[in-house]
């Protein structure tokens, strides 16, 4: 749909409504993604109790979002956002904080924890790497292996960025 930032509260309400049809919740989820409503997606990732598939998709989306300074302001846009969540409140930090929290939930479905780990590997950063290392020996094999894959992903992108810095310095 042609949604604007002012529509965020409406789509958050649909996404958070566990009685709503899953199809409608998915439309709301992708609309919130398009609006870069990171805090709202993170909020539902933490709160949803009825659909592991939906939580998996939210984790995937958070890992695939592009975080730039120009869209960081939307980390807290709209009703239902949590001011002060994350470290410094940037969209990236809100996403990382939500994904770390989800990954650490041993009672969460392994598929959802797996996707949280992979998403953290895509985003990278010190906090993500610390938790990925910590959980790379998790008792759930899918989670442990996903954390190791995510650490490899972080290492790949770190090496890529270092090579770019060297090339650009020449």
């Amino acid at each position: 749909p042609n949604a604007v930032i002012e529509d965020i509260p409406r789509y958050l309400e649909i996404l958070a409504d566990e009685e709503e049809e899953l199809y409608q919740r998915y439309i709301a989820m992708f609309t919130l993604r398009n609006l870069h409503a990171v805090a709202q997606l993170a909020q539902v990732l933490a709160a949803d109790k009825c659909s592991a598939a939906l939580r998996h998709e939210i984790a995937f989306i958070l890992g695939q979002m592009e975080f730039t300074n120009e869209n960081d302001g939307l980390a807290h846009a709209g009703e239902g956002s949590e001011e002060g969540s994350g470290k410094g409140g940037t969209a990236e930090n809100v996403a990382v904080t939500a994904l770390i929290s989800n990954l650490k939930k041993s009672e969460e479905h392994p598929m959802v924890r797996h996707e949280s780990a992979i998403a953290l590997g895509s985003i990278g950063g010190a906090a993500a790497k610390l938790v990925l290392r910590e959980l790379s020996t998790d008792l759930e094999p899918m989670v442990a292996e996903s954390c190791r894959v995510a650490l490899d992903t972080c290492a790949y992108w770190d090496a890529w960025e270092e090579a770019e810095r060297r090339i650009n310095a020449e």
Side-chain angles (χ1 to χ4, degrees), residues 62-140:
L62 290 173
Q64 298 303 309
M65 294 179 93
E66 295 290 326
F67 296 106
T68 64
N69 289 336
E70 67 189 44
N71 59 29
D72 272 350
L74 294 180
H76 301 295
E79 186 179 299
S81 66
E82 297 180 15
E83 287 299 327
S85 38
K87 293 171 253 158
T90 67
E92 181 174 334
N93 288 330
V94 170
V96 167
T97 299
L99 291 164
I100 286 173
S101 175
N102 204 52
L103 177 57
K104 286 184 165 186
K105 289 181 189 173
S106 59
E107 70 279 7
E108 177 60 272
H109 192 288
M111 175 182 67
V112 180
R113 293 180 70 209
H114 144 80
E115 196 58 50
S116 294
I118 297 301
L120 286 167
S122 294
I123 297 170
K129 290 177 198 173
L130 182 67
V131 173
L132 291 168
R133 278 188 210 97
E134 174 188 326
L135 294 176
S136 67
T137 58
D138 194 86
L139 295 177
E140 170 56 52

Side-chain angles (χ1 to χ4, degrees), residues 15-27:
L15 181 59
D17 183 354
E18 294 182 358
E19 301 297 317
E20 183 65 68
E21 279 184 37
L22 194 55
Y23 180 76
Q24 295 303 318
R25 292 180 81 194
Y26 267 69
I27 290 171

